[in-house]
Amino acid sequence: MKSLSPRYLLTASALAVTVGLGIAGAQQVQEAQPQEDVSPEASQRAQEAANNNEPLSATAPAIPGQVMPDSFANLVEQVAPAVVNITTTAVVAQPTNGQGPTFPEGSPFSDLFRDFGFPGMPGEGGPGMPQRSNALGSGFVISADGYIVTNNHVIEGADEIEIEFYSGETLPAKVVGTDPNTDVALLKVESEDALPFVKFGNSNDARVGDWVLALGNPLGQGFSASSGIVSARNRELSGTYDDYLQTDAAINRGNSGGPLFNLNGEVIGVNTAILSPNGGSIGIGFSMTSNVVSSVVNQLKQFGETRRGWLGVKIQDVTPDMAEALGLTAESGAMVTDVPEGPARDAGMRSGDIIISFDGQDVADTRSLVRRVAEAPAGEAVDVVVQREGGPETLNVTLGRRETAEGTGDENSGPDADGQQSGGEVLGMTLVPITPEIVADMGLPRDTTGLVVQEVNAESEAAEKGLMPGDILTEAGQQPVASLSDLNDRIAQARDAGRKSLLVLIRRNGEPRFVALPVGEK
């Protein structure tokens, strides 16, 4: 997916600030009022469903092949009682210059004020008189006993969280758990009565062009509904586990955390962000898919945190020229570039393996593999099929826990080398063997072997592939190289095999990457 500029990508939340001493002109949050869009009969049906522990849904299922619904009114009336408004309160500091509030490092409030052009942002000067800020968002009830789903950025940093239900009733909420990686938060309220709730649908069944309904609290105006279609699937914004549905249903600030329904009244997405040059809806909104959210919610409910699977490899996509260099018939799978200490190494996985299947499902690319591994429970044993020169092999890997593994980092190598030895130009690069002096200068591990890139011909394929001076070439043709003669031998072998490209393993600042270079270039 084409990368989206952070300048135009906004979270769909709204913010109002009330000064602690009641300075005139501060925006006030509207008092809770019961909604009148749902008939008393529908409200009664919703309460009866809650008492019977049944989710709300459309009274009549969507008709297959129907071009568009006659009206969304029946669907809105049916599911609206499960949608809530969320108000969070936090104490922030005011700058001594009096121009605007200062927020804690990483607070979501700071970005919102900056987007609206609030004077004095970002906060300059020291802290002064404290202020109370109210952030507004949306959410939805997923169980009769009071579990509520919203976005993490809606409640992040909050001191108090208040839930306003469709009936106008308000209850305090506590945080059960959060997952910043998917921007999901799970809240809990205590209610004497069973609460109307909705259920998750299968977001994989959503098709581009399907009708959807977004409900929430845009700009703090209270309950609101907007309709549209699924504009695109599998959108990725900035996160490792991103899987968004794109919709043209109007989503504005305050809609964050609200549900995106299909015509059956099932939640297939959680409204999270919009792409906009002005902060308002232009018909490009993003909802995290229900399949991702429901998996996270289940872990938060059970453990209070996420417990994702961890394979323990570094990977990259298989490109067409890499597939040709390896003699593969398809450009699918995930190429393993490095196998540090971890579950994959314990199971016998090696650098250069191509993961083609995980837990019985084909692997299309690195993104699909990362998501599948993350969805697998930590500690579970899974079969991983890798493609090697001798054919496919099945490895049984007992997954670790990603959250534990992320506490360790890789050592970075030192600065680029200024290699003093003469070298030869091969594949558009001037290369020299690694010496003890180079190892010391670059801060590399003592046992490092390979060739250091001194120069790259600007007109070469190597330059087009992004290779730079200081890169270290450690493998060619999936075999180690320690000298120029080793590399030339690999080139000759590739030519004899009738291949147009040679796969080389490059390391830069400790990070490995496979690159396919044409063997005809000298």
Side-chain angles (χ1 to χ4, degrees), residues 290-311:
S290 59
N291 287 6
V292 171
V293 175
S294 60
S295 176
V296 170
V297 166
N298 289 337
Q299 293 188 16
L300 295 179
K301 184 184 294 187
Q302 184 176 0
F303 307 114
E305 60 184 358
T306 56
R307 297 186 178 182
R308 294 187 169 94
W310 178 60
L311 189 58

Side-chain angles (χ1 to χ4, degrees), residues 221-301:
Q221 296 303 301
F223 180 83
S224 177
S226 60
S227 64
I229 63 170
V230 175
S231 304
R233 291 166 38 93
N234 302 316
R235 288 301 199 202
E236 182 179 1
L237 302 184
S238 60
T240 304
Y241 311 108
D242 284 0
D243 184 16
Y244 287 99
L245 295 176
Q246 180 183 324
T247 179
D248 65 349
I251 297 175
N252 289 286
R253 295 187 182 277
N255 279 112
S256 270
L260 187 72
F261 290 101
N262 60 20
L263 294 186
N264 292 325
E266 299 168 329
V267 177
I268 59 170
V270 177
N271 302 323
T272 302
I274 59 175
L275 185 64
S276 174
N278 55 23
S281 173
I282 59 171
I284 306 178
F286 301 95
S287 297
M288 183 65 78
T289 58
S290 59
N291 287 6
V292 171
V293 175
S294 60
S295 176
V296 170
V297 166
N298 289 337
Q299 293 188 16
L300 295 179
K301 184 184 294 187

Side-chain angles (χ1 to χ4, degrees), residues 25 28 34 57 76 130 137 142 187 206 242 252 316 324 341 418 440 458 510 519:
Q28 300 295 323
S57 61
V76 171
I142 61 168
L187 311 179
D242 284 0
N252 289 286
Q316 70 179 81
E324 193 280 332
E341 290 289 341
D418 294 327
V519 293

Side-chain angles (χ1 to χ4, degrees), residues 46 49-50 52-58 78-79 142 196-200 265:
N52 295 328
N53 200 29
E54 297 175 351
L56 304 178
S57 61
Q78 191 69 23
V79 299
I142 61 168
F197 65 98
V198 288
K199 67 177 181 179
F200 288 109

Side-chain angles (χ1 to χ4, degrees), residues 19 190 269 278 288 295 316 326-327 345 387-388 394 413-414 416 418 424 430 437 463 471 487 496 505 509-510 517:
V19 180
E190 300 298 334
N278 55 23
M288 183 65 78
S295 176
Q316 70 179 81
L326 293 169
R345 175 181 286 190
Q387 180 71 39
R388 292 176 175 169
T394 300
S413 64
D416 292 342
D418 294 327
T430 300
E437 292 77 14
D471 287 345
L487 179 58
D496 293 341
L505 178 60
N509 293 330
L517 297 175

Side-chain angles (χ1 to χ4, degrees), residues 41 85 160 162 184 188 336 351 362 404 459 461 465 512:
E41 293 80 8
N85 297 339
E160 299 175 4
E162 185 178 72
V184 172
K188 182 71 164 62
V336 177
S351 174
D362 292 340
T404 301
E459 299 179 356
E461 187 76 13
K465 295 291 179 67

Side-chain angles (χ1 to χ4, degrees), residues 84 88 104 176 211 225 240 266 274 282 381 385 409 429 443 450-451 502:
V84 300
T88 66
V176 176
W211 285 98
T240 304
E266 299 168 329
I274 59 175
I282 59 171
V385 181
M429 301 173 289
L451 302 171
L502 176 68

Side-chain angles (χ1 to χ4, degrees), residues 448-466:
T448 301
T449 60
L451 302 171
V452 176
V453 178
Q454 284 191 315
E455 295 180 6
V456 180
N457 187 331
E459 299 179 356
S460 68
E461 187 76 13
E464 292 185 8
K465 295 291 179 67

